[in-house]
Amino acid sequence: MPRLSVIVPCFKVQGFLRECLDSVLEQSFHDVEVIAVDDRSPDGCGAILDEYADRDPRVKVLHLPENVGLGRARNAGLPHATGEFLLFLDSDDALTPGALRAVADRLAETGDPDVLVFDYARTYWWGGTRRNALAEVLASTDGVFTAAERPEILDLLMVVWNKAYRRDFVEENGFAFPPGYYEDTPWTFPVMLSAARIATLDRICVNYRQRRQGNILSTTSRKHFDVHEQYKRVFAFLDARPELAGWRPCLHRKMGEHCLDILAKPDRLPPAARGEFFRRTTELHRAFRPEQTAGAIGAVGTVGAAGAGLGVLDGSYASYLLREQAGRAGRAGGRQALRVRRAAGTRARRALTGLRGLRQPDENLVLYSAASHQGLRGDPAAVYRAAREIAPHLRGVWVVRDAEVAAGLPDGVAHVLLDSPEYLRLTARAKFFVNDVNWPGALVKRPGSVHVHTHRGTPLKYLGADLLGKPGARLGFDVPQMLRRADRWDHSLVANRHSELVWERAYPCHFASARTGSPRNDVLVTGGPTDFRARHGIPAGHTVVLYAPTRRDYVRGGHVDRIDLARFAADLGEGHTLVVRLHPALATGPARGMGLAELHRRGIVVDATCEPHAEEVMLASDALVTDYSSLMFDYANLDRPIVVHADDWAAYTASRGAYLDITAEAPGHVSRSYRELAWLFASGGWRDEESARLRADFRSRFCEFDDGRAAERVVRTLLLGEPMPEPPARVPGPAGVRDLLAST
């Protein structure tokens, strides 16, 4: 008996079917069977299924004699499933890598619940990916529960394919799919309300394909009227089980929201049928209205997706249309008003910040910002702290993007919200501006002001004007605008001569390079404290390996899993902890939901992606594994082992471009496959004499001006105008090292 049975109904999906089946059969978890149901598909689906069954005994194929529809095709597959748990996968969707292993592990961890709910991401035909907006519902549960204990679980998309079901539970309750559209509705609600033990998995396991055309739900048809019959089945289920009567208000609300959402979609119903659909919805709304809501479960209402509250169902279709028209007009007017306000605000900002001759800049006012106004971070934070000690008369004010960021600032830190009136006043008066990302375009540089640009590390990949030759990498970037903003810079901080060359090439503007070193690296040179290990419960004697991959420009979204994190953590063995820090651009996307968040919850790895201070993470680690992240240049100051995992170097450089060949001038050993990476740690090669020699050469070249006094140097020389000796020059890299700048 296999652990998992995956039922895949197929109809007119020959272009997607192979990808779907491969996503199941190529999983690292093999204790699975596939029940593939050919729903009398007129295309090549049947032949494709037979081909897979011939070469993989885990695939069972059913060829139905007639087309019965999605729900009944699933029913046909149910008796043939022998697995302990059932999963349903639509044949134009796909499992994510490692999904079945994560599902099996979570089932075992929670003691084989009746239902396991997991996460998904919408993948669009044009290449975009968007994670389920309610993913936090899955992350906030630990152990098992009932729907009554956690009614918010019903706020998730009520579909069949984001869950695993204990087969005995399904058979004991006789659950089956009805015919027609929206067949998931009378399956999912009864299942969730009947389950005595529900568990969740905070991991994206399914890529839910959003097809440009051909999707049932985006087809204009009267078949969308089926939703009414499906909800009648849901309420019949409630009527047969008096103990579930408390759910009636909740399901009544969800029915109204669902129907109004269908009515609001322009591509669902034929125009001539919209009035009839509304009237049938109001009939259901009245027929199933609960008599008593006191003590009801999950009865708090929300506004329907159509933009109107459910009260609209107590009126006429004409009233509904008037409210919809008023809502559209209001939204359009709101957008127009927003555009007018933004334009006026831009003019006001330019007028205010562009004032000349009215007042001299305040010599003691310094505005700071970091990481696009996310608070005290990076180089600006190091300069700010040094200024408070060396020059307490300087008033430092942080520009933050919103109140949430402001609330997270340490006590006593002055701040201002971006684009607020106070922000406009301060930008018109400040003498100094310190930032690691360009200031907003509306900011006009006043005569006498001084802009210090700290950057965000030593550059490896192409930036600025060099992106003009890399159309994929510059997607979404306005390079000319970027350069116009860089025209404000007065000083560009550099940690080495390589950076000096790059910045002057990539940003052909009027700044002067300041050989100060990187202020945020001072703590790496001097060995500052960190409580990272204690906060994450890492045993004192463990060897901590930090894995810091960068984003890719050759895939939309930027995330590519180059390493199986669970396998790497296991291969490191006892006495080791794997810490993972994704690129900041991936922190809020679906990348962490592809397994990292779940591995962190289970204690297999530590997710440090959202740690605000990368220096603390680096100080807490004993070795760095990275691909092409600029973090390696900072980490070299620690003089700790570095391994470069470069299994896609050719693709990376072709899409993004690089200023040097990091595989030839690496700060340590280079692995070009996972096997090589695992061997380096198993054999101890990651910290051998050759690793130390490579690291010393790398440090001498790329940590040239980092001496632990960079922040002090910035404050004294650039903010106070005091002289300060140049940092001691370090020995350059070995003769013959070729910098790609020389040839490009």
Side-chain angles (χ1 to χ4, degrees):
M1 177 188 298
R3 180 65 164 163
L4 304 176
S5 294
V6 182
I7 298 175
V8 183
C10 308
F11 182 74
K12 296 177 68 173
V13 287
Q14 63 179 7
F16 307 107
L17 184 53
R18 292 182 186 276
E19 180 182 350
C20 173
L21 295 174
D22 289 342
S23 77
V24 179
L25 299 174
E26 294 177 3
Q27 292 276 316
S28 59
F29 183 83
H30 299 291
D31 192 13
V32 60
E33 66 177 2
V34 175
I35 311 299
V37 184
D38 172 17
D39 189 17
R40 194 64 176 177
S41 185
D43 58 5
C45 285
I48 293 172
L49 295 179
D50 289 339
E51 173 193 330
Y52 273 77
D54 287 342
R55 69 173 188 239
D56 194 320
R58 295 176 296 169
V59 179
K60 302 176 184 178
V61 179
L62 278 72
H63 295 284
L64 301 184
E66 60 180 354
N67 176 250
V68 297
L70 183 57
R72 288 187 287 182
R74 290 173 180 153
N75 290 340
L78 277 171
H80 298 271
T82 61
E84 296 176 74
F85 281 85
L86 305 171
L87 289 87
F88 297 91
L89 181 64
D90 288 353
S91 46
D92 55 350
D93 296 338
L95 297 180
T96 61
L100 294 185
R101 169 59 65 187
V103 167
D105 288 347
R106 184 62 172 155
L107 289 172
E109 182 183 19
T110 53
D112 286 4
D114 295 329
V115 181
L116 174 69
V117 186
F118 44 78
D119 206 3
Y120 66 93
R122 298 175 188 266
T123 58
Y124 295 88
W125 61 268
W126 43 264
T129 300
R130 181 167 61 87
R131 189 179 185 182
N132 163 32
L134 296 177
E136 69 275 4
V137 173
L138 300 174
S140 60
T141 60
D142 193 16
V144 296
F145 56 92
T146 64
E149 292 168 338
R150 296 292 308 277
E152 63 270 23
I153 197 70
L154 298 188
D155 291 333
L156 295 170
L157 192 63
M158 284 291 102
V159 290
V160 66
W161 44 257
N162 65 345
K163 303 171 183 72
Y165 312 86
R166 188 167 57 82
R167 184 164 61 89
D168 289 346
F169 165 70
V170 171
E171 292 177 350
E172 289 164 4
N173 286 273
F175 295 125
F177 294 92
Y181 280 17
Y182 305 100
E183 76 292 335
D184 287 10
T185 300
W187 165 284
T188 307
F189 281 120
V191 163
M192 295 299 287
L193 299 184
S194 301
R197 303 176 71 250
I198 301 171
T200 62
L201 171 61
D202 179 21
R203 187 193 195 280
I204 296 172
C205 294
V206 175
N207 282 327
Y208 175 30
R209 189 187 301 274
Q210 306 295 290
R211 292 159 63 180
R212 185 171 181 267
Q213 60 182 7
N215 184 284
I216 291 176
L217 293 184
S218 63
T219 301
T220 302
S221 168
R222 285 186 59 89
K223 290 185 177 180
H224 292 285
F225 280 78
D226 288 353
V227 71
H228 299 133
E229 294 302 316
Q230 307 297 21
Y231 274 102
K232 288 180 181 178
R233 293 183 171 100
V234 172
F235 282 101
F237 175 82
L238 283 188
D239 292 340
R241 291 163 177 77
E243 71 276 11
L244 298 178
W247 283 103
R248 196 175 187 89
C250 173
L251 296 183
H252 181 259
R253 169 174 57 85
K254 289 188 174 296
M255 176 185 69
E257 291 175 348
H258 194 173
C259 292
L260 285 176
D261 182 69
I262 294 170
L263 189 61
K265 295 290 195 303
D267 57 351
R268 297 280 176 98
L269 295 164
R274 292 172 58 80
E276 181 186 352
F277 184 90
F278 178 84
R279 287 187 289 274
R280 289 200 188 179
T281 299
T282 61
E283 291 171 2
L284 282 186
H285 184 69
R286 288 191 296 268
F288 295 116
R289 190 192 305 272
E291 296 179 1
Q292 178 59 260
T293 60
I297 306 173
V300 178
T302 60
V303 174
L310 296 183
V312 72
L313 293 175
D314 292 322
S316 66
Y317 182 55
S319 299
Y320 166 79
L321 289 178
L322 286 174
R323 292 185 63 168
E324 281 296 287
Q325 291 169 2
R328 285 194 294 270
R331 290 190 293 272
R335 289 192 294 268
Q336 177 63 23
L338 180 60
R339 286 193 291 268
V340 171
R341 288 196 300 272
R342 284 177 174 172
T346 299
R347 289 193 296 271
R349 285 192 295 271
R350 287 174 176 166
L352 185 57
T353 59
L355 293 175
R356 286 168 168 75
L358 295 181
R359 296 183 65 176
Q360 292 298 316
D362 184 340
E363 299 287 334
N364 295 324
L365 179 58
V366 187
L367 287 190
Y368 295 92
S369 181
S372 298
H373 320 299
Q374 293 188 66
L376 270 73
R377 299 189 182 192
D379 291 308
V383 174
Y384 169 78
R385 295 189 184 98
R388 294 187 70 171
E389 293 183 9
I390 299 168
H393 64 281
L394 293 178
R395 180 189 174 207
V397 179
W398 281 85
V399 178
V400 296
R401 65 185 182 188
D402 53 36
E404 182 180 354
V405 174
L409 295 174
D411 293 338
V413 175
H415 67 275
V416 63
L417 296 184
L418 181 68
D419 286 338
S420 66
E422 181 66 5
Y423 165 80
L424 299 178
R425 189 181 71 83
L426 292 179
T427 54
R429 296 186 55 212
K431 170 74 172 182
F432 300 103
F433 294 77
V434 180
N435 200 347
D436 62 1
V437 179
N438 265 319
W439 292 94
L443 178 64
V444 177
K445 183 179 179 183
R446 294 191 61 199
S449 64
V450 176
H451 284 241
V452 178
H453 195 75
T454 70
H455 302 285
R456 302 180 75 180
T458 293
L460 171 62
K461 56 194 174 188
Y462 277 10
L463 296 164
D466 289 323
L467 291 176
L468 291 171
K470 296 292 182 180
R474 74 167 188 268
L475 182 67
F477 289 97
D478 185 339
V479 175
Q481 181 188 69
M482 188 187 307
L483 297 181
R484 287 192 294 271
R485 295 180 180 183
D487 282 331
R488 306 183 189 126
W489 303 351
D490 293 289
H491 303 288
S492 166
L493 306 191
V494 298
N496 47 66
R497 274 172 263 218
H498 163 82
S499 296
E500 189 172 313
L501 283 171
V502 169
W503 300 136
E504 292 180 5
R505 163 201 168 106
Y507 296 96
C509 303
H510 301 290
F511 58 83
S513 294
R515 296 180 173 181
T516 58
S518 293
R520 72 179 185 280
N521 287 346
D522 288 347
V523 68
L524 302 181
V525 176
T526 58
T530 175
D531 64 348
F532 178 83
R533 288 189 180 224
R535 283 190 287 111
H536 290 279
I538 300 174
H542 270 213
T543 297
V544 174
V545 177
L546 171 60
Y547 175 51
T550 193
R551 71 185 304 279
R552 266 62 174 174
D553 294 286
Y554 59 77
V555 293
R556 187 182 290 272
H559 177 66
V560 179
D561 284 317
R562 309 306 310 178
I563 292 176
D564 183 331
L565 298 177
R567 180 182 178 185
F568 188 34
D571 287 345
L572 287 174
E574 293 292 332
H576 293 75
T577 296
L578 178 62
V579 175
V580 181
R581 184 177 178 84
L582 300 181
H583 188 278
L586 303 175
T588 57
R592 296 169 74 193
M594 297 297 285
L596 179 55
E598 174 66 7
L599 293 176
H600 174 82
R601 186 196 63 79
R602 293 167 55 196
I604 295 174
V605 305
V606 174
D607 179 9
T609 301
C610 286
E611 287 285 329
H613 305 296
E615 311 86 63
E616 294 189 10
V617 183
M618 289 189 278
L619 283 165
S621 67
D622 299 295
L624 171 67
V625 176
T626 186
D627 35 38
Y628 324 116
S629 171
S630 63
L631 200 73
M632 72 178 83
F633 297 96
D634 304 325
Y635 197 86
N637 282 288
L638 292 171
D639 196 21
R640 298 175 188 173
I642 301 173
V643 174
V644 175
H645 186 58
D647 65 337
D648 64 341
W649 175 244
Y652 184 84
T653 53
S655 61
R656 181 60 188 250
Y659 293 114
L660 59 97
D661 184 353
I662 199 63
T663 65
E665 307 167 49
H669 290 296
V670 177
S671 59
R672 297 183 182 274
S673 67
Y674 178 75
R675 182 178 180 181
E676 291 181 7
L677 175 65
W679 179 85
L680 281 171
F681 280 90
S683 66
W686 61 282
R687 55 182 176 183
D688 62 12
E689 291 184 5
E690 177 64 7
S691 170
R693 184 191 67 78
L694 292 169
R695 186 167 67 253
D697 291 344
F698 192 84
R699 288 182 66 239
S700 67
R701 184 178 180 199
F702 295 108
C703 304
E704 186 178 1
F705 304 140
D706 282 338
D707 63 350
R709 301 181 67 189
E712 177 191 0
R713 191 171 291 109
V714 171
V715 173
R716 293 194 183 281
T717 62
L718 303 185
L719 303 188
L720 299 179
E722 298 176 0
M724 185 171 176
E726 287 283 325
R730 297 190 180 186
V731 180
V737 169
R738 184 175 70 87
D739 195 310
L740 297 187
L741 285 172
S743 60
T744 57

